[in-house]
Amino acid sequence: MSSYKWSDREAFYLYNALIHNEFIYPFKKCKDTRRLSLSEMKLKLDSLVYDIASDTRGGKRLFSEFMRFQCVEFDETGINTPSYVKGLMSKIYKKVAASSKDLSLLLKDKRARRYTFASMRAAIQSYEQPSHDEIFGGAFFNDVRNGSFQEDLDSCLSKADLTTYVERCADIGVFPNTTFLSHIARWKIVERDYKMIDWVSRNDDKVVWAWGYLERKYLEGEKPEWISLGGKSSADLKGIHSDALVLFYDLLQSDLIKESLMTNLSRACAKKRFLEKQEDRKPSSYLLSNKVKQRLSALAEIDNKKLNKVIEDLINAEYDRRMRR
């Protein structure tokens, strides 16, 4: 059992920085907890603390050089004490780690958590498959394009837990910390836009269809890797596709594209509803006298209805009257 109280995030970063990367920064490789558990990482850090304090295998010199590289002030003689070494390690971590305050947004808000994960994955996908009609944008896109997004490190991390994945990306330098701060600033603007959320709430019966429409029109019929559309019950499908629609909208890079999407989606949905109503109707032809036609037109004008609607209403009313006898 570990003799020091390493936090999970702290242990993950320090193990990769000091042991797996052998005091080399920026990281060249990453060992995820799928391959080595956090408890094992913490035990190995305990051993490293004592190796540094006792100067086993030149550990003291490597550690001192690493701290100078990180611009951390320290007392050379204090490195002989394990508790002092552990304190310096924690200081190194706190200097480079993403703020817990910023990351707390991801813990509290599912929409923010999904948006952050999808923004990173969409940026990578956009770089791998460039499109002439690029619609997504965000703080991670420039990093991916200029090569400062460490995809080799990212590919080693489990994406099963979105919060943990984003935390580890932020901690081990998959992207610069300034990028994450820019992303959070952008999110605070994105979260105030409720247009798609309102549309989904008004069109609850059409959310599964709507996702299919967006997929065909904007994604060339391919489901992106940053979204999961599993689910068995109809309630599951509605909830999952509702989240997908909001996430897709949140990722769009400009207000102009968002407005265009909402206009296109609303028109397509209205057309869908109209066609569904027409499916229950069949054309009919009856001979009517001119006098009856004139009266039918007059009734339609009075009630502000179409001719076929007046005929349907009259037939239904007479049917109901007779059936009540």
Side-chain angles (χ1 to χ4, degrees):
M1 183 175 180
S2 177
S3 59
Y4 292 111
K5 292 183 179 179
W6 309 96
S7 72
D8 288 351
R9 285 179 62 193
E10 182 181 45
F12 184 79
Y13 170 81
L14 290 171
Y15 174 83
N16 276 287
L18 305 178
I19 298 176
H20 194 54
N21 283 272
E22 299 176 326
F23 297 89
I24 295 174
Y25 191 87
F27 294 174
K28 300 297 181 185
K29 51 190 177 179
C30 173
K31 176 77 79 172
D32 192 32
T33 51
R34 289 173 298 173
R35 299 177 181 86
L36 188 73
S37 70
L38 280 171
S39 59
E40 291 176 294
M41 290 182 181
K42 291 175 182 180
L43 286 171
K44 289 181 180 295
L45 283 172
D46 282 349
S47 297
L48 180 63
V49 167
Y50 286 102
D51 286 348
I52 291 171
S54 60
D55 201 18
T56 305
R57 296 187 295 275
K60 185 180 293 185
R61 178 184 59 81
L62 289 171
F63 185 63
S64 298
E65 290 176 355
F66 187 81
M67 284 190 296
R68 292 189 186 99
F69 181 78
Q70 295 289 341
C71 300
V72 175
E73 294 183 1
F74 64 98
D75 177 6
E76 194 78 45
T77 59
I79 298 182
N80 298 325
T81 307
S83 59
Y84 183 71
V85 172
K86 198 281 178 183
L88 287 176
M89 287 183 176
S90 295
K91 193 172 182 180
I92 290 170
Y93 169 70
K94 289 174 183 176
K95 183 178 174 62
V96 300
S99 162
S100 295
K101 180 181 178 182
D102 290 329
L103 282 167
S104 67
L105 279 172
L106 307 178
L107 296 169
K108 293 185 294 186
D109 190 332
K110 182 179 77 170
R111 186 181 168 198
R113 185 162 59 247
R114 288 164 55 84
Y115 171 73
T116 301
F117 172 77
S119 185
M120 281 191 278
R121 307 314 302 168
I124 295 171
Q125 189 175 37
S126 175
Y127 178 74
E128 293 174 344
Q129 302 173 347
S131 170
H132 297 297
D133 186 27
E134 190 173 281
I135 58 174
F136 300 128
F140 300 108
F141 278 64
N142 286 337
D143 283 351
V144 169
R145 288 173 187 146
N146 65 27
S148 59
F149 190 100
Q150 300 296 319
E151 289 186 62
D152 290 342
L153 298 181
D154 155 83
S155 65
C156 295
L157 300 173
S158 170
K159 301 169 184 65
D161 181 335
L162 300 192
T163 301
T164 301
Y165 167 74
V166 174
E167 282 180 345
R168 290 178 179 168
C169 281
D171 284 350
I172 66 174
V174 170
F175 49 77
N177 198 38
T178 52
T179 300
F180 186 68
L181 296 178
S182 297
H183 169 75
I184 292 297
R186 182 183 175 90
W187 161 246
K188 289 177 180 177
I189 297 171
V190 168
E191 71 173 330
R192 295 197 293 268
D193 189 340
Y194 285 87
K195 289 187 181 69
M196 180 60 83
I197 293 175
D198 291 340
W199 189 92
V200 165
S201 66
R202 295 194 311 271
N203 297 276
D204 177 67
D205 61 321
K206 286 289 178 284
V207 293
V208 177
W209 166 85
W211 174 257
Y213 169 80
L214 295 190
E215 199 172 84
R216 291 189 302 274
K217 186 173 179 63
Y218 296 95
L219 297 172
E220 299 178 348
E222 295 183 7
K223 184 181 76 173
E225 67 166 31
W226 39 262
I227 201 158
S228 173
L229 296 173
K232 297 180 180 178
S233 69
S234 58
D236 287 341
L237 286 174
K238 279 188 178 182
I240 290 166
H241 285 80
S242 295
D243 287 343
L245 290 168
V246 173
L247 178 56
F248 185 99
Y249 180 81
D250 287 345
L251 287 175
L252 297 177
Q253 65 171 299
S254 71
D255 291 339
L256 188 64
I257 295 177
K258 287 184 174 183
E259 289 173 11
S260 174
L261 175 131
M262 294 309 301
T263 298
N264 292 337
L265 180 60
S266 296
R267 286 176 178 171
C269 186
K271 183 178 179 181
K272 172 74 173 172
R273 292 187 186 284
F274 175 77
L275 292 175
E276 286 175 346
K277 288 181 180 179
Q278 298 308 305
E279 290 176 359
D280 294 332
R281 299 172 183 271
K282 293 183 179 180
S284 301
S285 178
Y286 300 99
L287 294 176
L288 299 174
S289 67
N290 289 333
K291 185 177 181 179
V292 170
K293 287 180 180 179
Q294 290 172 358
R295 288 181 174 180
L296 179 60
S297 296
L299 289 173
E301 186 174 349
I302 291 169
D303 293 340
N304 192 28
K305 296 178 180 178
K306 293 182 178 180
L307 296 178
N308 66 306
K309 180 62 175 170
V310 174
I311 294 172
E312 282 188 359
D313 289 349
L314 289 172
I315 292 173
N316 286 330
E318 180 62 15
Y319 180 87
D320 291 341
R321 185 183 70 79
R322 293 194 182 194
M323 291 300 105
R324 284 197 296 268
R325 287 179 181 177

